[in-house]
């Protein structure tokens, strides 16, 4: 069985919200306090913890024995999800037999926790950028060069972040925000592919092909190919001309 939950903001409690392989609802919505039980121990120590037989273990406290016993769990491991040095949640894995959980099982659980950590980081970055984007129209009206540079930086950051977001709704919202940052409706006849806009946004910030590739998760050769295509579509002969043409066309802010 696998299950887990997130730690409340500013709190030392974690609520189990996700269950897979369960036969009862004994663990559903269970609130685990830092330091209590196996999961609470993982929260308090910010490192993986495991027991071979939950109900008999002397390594943990036993506030949650009834719920664990109702589900019939024996061997249990708990891996904390840590983002920016703060425990944000716990992932559990459990067997209904009392047997040691080997290194392969622990490694798989830790890898799953790292995936969750990365997803949380991406969502938080996206949320911060969206907040900044929604505040940009008033700043843009001020018309200062510094304000415009911040708009362009936010646009490039959003374009680079969007492909890393698995949630299609959030990704679509992020790309829509990119559109809000553009100078206006794209010129008729100018049609750049999403990845071409991503590359051009990086180039507009002064990124080299290698840096753009790193930001976008592409190979430098692929970035170079996108850039050649962009220049051809915009009738530009240099990277700078391509950026200028894209801004005039309303593709970039």
């Amino acid at each position: 069985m696998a299950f887990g939950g997130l730690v409340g903001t500013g709190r030392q409690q974690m609520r189990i919200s996700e269950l897979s392989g369960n036969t009862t609802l004994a663990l559903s919505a269970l609130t685990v306090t830092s330091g209590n039980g196996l999961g609470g121990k993982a929260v308090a120590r910010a490192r993986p913890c495991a027991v071979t037989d939950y109900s008999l273990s002397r390594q943990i406290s036993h506030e949650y024995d009834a719920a664990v016993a109702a589900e019939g769990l024996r061997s249990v491991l708990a891996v904390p999800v840590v983002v920016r040095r703060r425990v944000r949640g716990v992932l559990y894995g459990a067997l209904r037999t009392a047997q040691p959980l080997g290194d392969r099982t622990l490694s798989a659980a830790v890898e799953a926790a790292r995936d969750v950590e990365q997803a949380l980081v991406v969502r938080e970055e996206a949320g911060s950028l969206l907040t900044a984007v929604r505040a940009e129209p008033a700043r843009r009206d001020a018309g200062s060069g510094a304000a415009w540079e911040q708009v362009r930086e936010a646009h490039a950051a959003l374009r680079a972040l969007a492909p890393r977001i698995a949630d299609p709704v959030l990704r679509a919202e992020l790309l829509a925000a990119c559109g809000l940052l553009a100078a206006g409706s794209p010129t008729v006849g100018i049609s750049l592919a999403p990845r071409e806009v991503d590359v051009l946004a990086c180039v507009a910030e002064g990124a080299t092909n290698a840096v753009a590739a790193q930001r976008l998760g592409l190979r430098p050769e692929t970035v170079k190919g996108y850039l050649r295509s962009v220049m051809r579509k915009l009738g530009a002969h240099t990277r700078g001309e391509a950026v200028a043409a894209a801004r005039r066309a309303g593709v970039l802010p």
Side-chain angles (χ1 to χ4, degrees):
M1 177 179 172
F3 53 106
L6 297 177
V7 175
T9 303
R11 304 176 65 184
Q12 291 299 307
Q13 292 183 325
M14 184 270 297
R15 188 176 184 182
I16 296 175
S17 59
E18 303 295 330
L19 303 169
S20 178
N22 55 303
T23 58
T24 74
L25 294 177
L27 295 170
S28 179
L30 180 69
T31 298
V32 177
T33 302
S34 176
N36 294 347
L38 186 67
K41 184 177 179 180
V43 171
R45 298 192 177 187
R47 62 180 178 82
C49 301
V51 294
T52 300
D53 196 331
Y54 191 98
S55 63
L56 299 179
S57 176
R58 296 183 179 181
Q59 302 173 30
I60 60 172
S61 60
H62 291 275
E63 291 83 356
Y64 314 111
D65 280 11
V68 174
E71 188 60 52
L73 304 181
R74 304 286 296 280
S75 295
V76 186
L77 63 81
V79 181
V81 175
V82 183
V83 177
R84 298 185 178 95
R85 299 183 180 182
R86 184 167 72 87
V87 177
R88 299 289 302 280
V90 177
L91 294 184
Y92 295 84
L95 300 174
R96 292 184 171 84
T97 56
Q99 62 186 66
L101 296 167
D103 290 342
R104 288 183 60 185
T105 301
L106 179 59
S107 296
V110 170
E111 184 176 347
R114 298 298 87 83
D115 289 342
V116 175
E117 290 168 2
Q118 182 63 23
L120 287 174
V121 168
V122 169
R123 287 187 68 89
E124 289 178 359
E125 289 178 355
S128 297
L129 287 169
L130 285 172
T131 298
V133 165
R134 291 177 180 127
E136 284 299 339
R139 295 167 63 184
R140 183 188 302 182
D141 290 341
S144 71
W148 267 111
E149 283 308 311
Q150 289 181 327
V151 170
R152 289 163 177 164
E153 289 174 7
H155 181 268
L158 285 167
R159 297 290 322 189
L161 181 60
R164 297 164 52 195
I165 298 176
D167 184 337
V169 175
L170 181 59
R171 185 169 61 250
E173 186 178 357
L174 206 59
L175 291 173
C178 289
L180 294 176
L181 291 178
S185 300
T187 301
V188 176
I190 300 297
S191 179
L192 300 184
R195 266 317 203 191
E196 291 175 340
V197 178
D198 295 343
V199 168
L200 198 54
C202 288
V203 169
E205 280 199 304
T208 63
N209 289 354
V211 171
Q214 184 177 19
R215 289 181 184 174
L216 301 173
L218 302 173
R219 298 177 61 184
E221 295 81 3
T222 304
V223 168
K224 188 175 181 179
Y226 280 130
L227 194 53
R228 280 199 302 265
S229 176
V230 166
M231 293 168 66
R232 183 177 66 254
K233 290 179 179 180
L234 296 176
H237 300 288
T238 66
R239 297 156 66 94
E241 287 181 6
V243 170
R247 287 174 176 162
R248 287 195 302 270
V251 176
L252 292 181

